[in-house]
Amino acid sequence: MRTSWLRLSWVLLISACATTPSPPPGGTADPLHQVGRVRVAPEVELEVLDYGGKGPALVFLAGVGSTAHVFDVLAPEFIATHHVYAFTRRGFGASSWPATGYDSATLGHDVLAAMEGLGLAKATLAGHSLAGDELNWMGLNHPERVEALIFLDATDNKGEIAEFLKPGPLPPLPFTVLDGQPSREAVTALLARDLGGPFPPHEIDQAYEFDAGTGAYLRYRRLPEATEQCIRGAALPDYAKLKGPVLAISDDQAFAGWVAYLSQAENVPADLRERARVFLPELRQHEADQEALLKSLPNWKIVTLQGAGHYLWLPRQAEVVSEMRAFLGR
């Protein structure tokens, strides 16, 4: 079920691609995991974190904008029962930054190829946010490689949002605005305020860039077009066709809250505000229908953590760990 360290050591020796960014300056070694790379396509490699552990494979997949290091406070909770890994998606952090390949199918195939490269015949996949699309693709196209699926606030229908956004430019996304922050410490504090708990230190190092002289925040560490391509490339999910065990943990919010904001925001074009206003009742109905569907599926367990926010495990780690352990030990 899991690769030997000898096999992973070989993977670490693969030379970096030309499209791979250099490591951020000033980073320190993280004792929680070994950091490696695995080739998933010509000139495309993913960063792989190996947290160690014993037992079947458990692979964490980050949401859009995050790297695998965002799980540094969650993944180690499972090394007593599983060999735990986390992957950084193409276009972000230390993974390769190709110009294309950000649709759901290609990103899903990256997960499959990374498992192949690590010698993982089968794994439980735990995905946050956008990674729900990759979980859905793996479950539909390669169920024989999936032990179980864990959606961490990741069942929103991003394909429907992609359809809504097609006619125009990408509007403001519900991300914390970091422009103008004077230091790494200021960014850390602002994210902790908005997300309910601090990002792990290495996530700050890997996901953001800071001025070497002043320390001020510069930009996200990612291909500039990656986020928009991921959002526009999202496919419509088909959760009812997932046949294996599924755990879905979410808060009480959904995309309707963001669309409601767009319908009233003065910083978006008037035509988008109107489209959002018209689309909002339809979206709310679709979200209610999907919630009812998922609750009716016998292989799904649905857990709602009211008010937890999008990064559920930051403010509510004990509850998320408890639910995941119960599910994994079923």
Side-chain angles (χ1 to χ4, degrees), residues 178 181-191:
L178 301 176
Q181 293 303 309
S183 66
R184 182 184 187 280
E185 292 71 24
V187 166
T188 300
L190 187 58
L191 290 170

Side-chain angles (χ1 to χ4, degrees), residues 44 90 97-103 106-107 110 223 229:
V44 180
R90 67 166 66 197
W97 294 7
T100 60
Y102 297 93
D103 57 285
T106 303
L107 295 175
D110 283 354
L223 179 76
Q229 289 192 45

Side-chain angles (χ1 to χ4, degrees), residues 17-276:
C17 302
T19 52
T20 300
S22 60
T28 57
D30 192 329
L32 291 173
H33 47 57
Q34 298 288 337
V35 181
R37 305 183 67 77
V38 61
R39 191 177 298 275
V40 297
E43 298 190 343
V44 180
E45 295 176 352
L46 301 189
E47 177 187 47
V48 175
L49 306 185
D50 183 346
Y51 292 89
K54 297 181 179 180
L58 170 61
V59 175
F60 284 90
L61 305 174
V64 69
S66 298
T67 78
H69 298 267
V70 78
F71 296 114
D72 279 357
V73 295
L74 181 61
E77 297 285 348
F78 304 96
I79 59 176
T81 57
H82 289 75
H83 193 136
V84 183
Y85 304 87
F87 301 162
T88 297
R89 181 180 294 104
R90 67 166 66 197
F92 295 87
S95 290
S96 299
W97 294 7
T100 60
Y102 297 93
D103 57 285
S104 295
T106 303
L107 295 175
H109 190 271
D110 283 354
V111 175
L112 176 66
M115 289 176 59
E116 292 278 2
L118 295 171
L120 304 180
K122 203 170 189 178
T124 293
L125 302 177
H128 175 235
S129 191
L130 179 76
D133 290 11
E134 294 152 17
L135 267 59
N136 181 68
W137 187 90
M138 283 290 296
L140 293 178
N141 293 279
H142 292 279
E144 76 284 355
R145 308 299 295 271
V146 176
E147 186 71 40
L149 297 172
I150 300 174
F151 291 81
L152 298 172
D153 206 32
T155 55
D156 289 309
N157 191 332
K158 290 167 283 293
E160 186 172 25
I161 292 297
E163 289 292 323
F164 166 69
L165 294 176
K166 268 186 179 180
L170 203 65
L173 297 172
F175 297 158
T176 297
V177 177
L178 301 176
D179 294 339
Q181 293 303 309
S183 66
R184 182 184 187 280
E185 292 71 24
V187 166
T188 300
L190 187 58
L191 290 170
R193 182 202 70 184
D194 289 355
L195 303 179
F199 268 177
H202 237 211
E203 175 65 10
I204 301 295
D205 293 335
Q206 294 292 330
Y208 308 100
E209 295 181 0
F210 299 89
D211 186 275
T214 67
Y217 168 79
L218 292 176
R219 64 186 71 87
Y220 282 96
R221 188 171 180 240
R222 65 188 182 199
L223 179 76
E225 301 81 15
T227 297
E228 180 165 357
Q229 289 192 45
C230 286
I231 292 170
R232 294 194 185 279
L236 293 169
D238 197 346
Y239 296 131
K241 290 185 178 179
L242 299 177
K243 299 305 181 185
V246 181
L247 171 65
I249 309 176
S250 64
D251 69 351
D252 53 352
Q253 301 297 315
F255 273 135
W258 175 57
V259 174
Y261 162 78
L262 293 178
S263 71
Q264 302 176 28
E266 295 183 0
N267 62 333
V268 301
D271 62 329
L272 177 58
R273 289 201 302 270
E274 178 60 18
R275 286 199 299 112

Side-chain angles (χ1 to χ4, degrees), residues 284-303:
R284 283 175 171 155
Q285 184 60 56
H286 290 175
E287 288 179 345
D289 293 343
Q290 176 173 286
E291 182 179 7
L293 169 66
L294 299 185
K295 287 180 177 179
S296 73
L297 298 174
N299 57 320
W300 282 66
K301 180 180 181 182
I302 308 298
V303 176

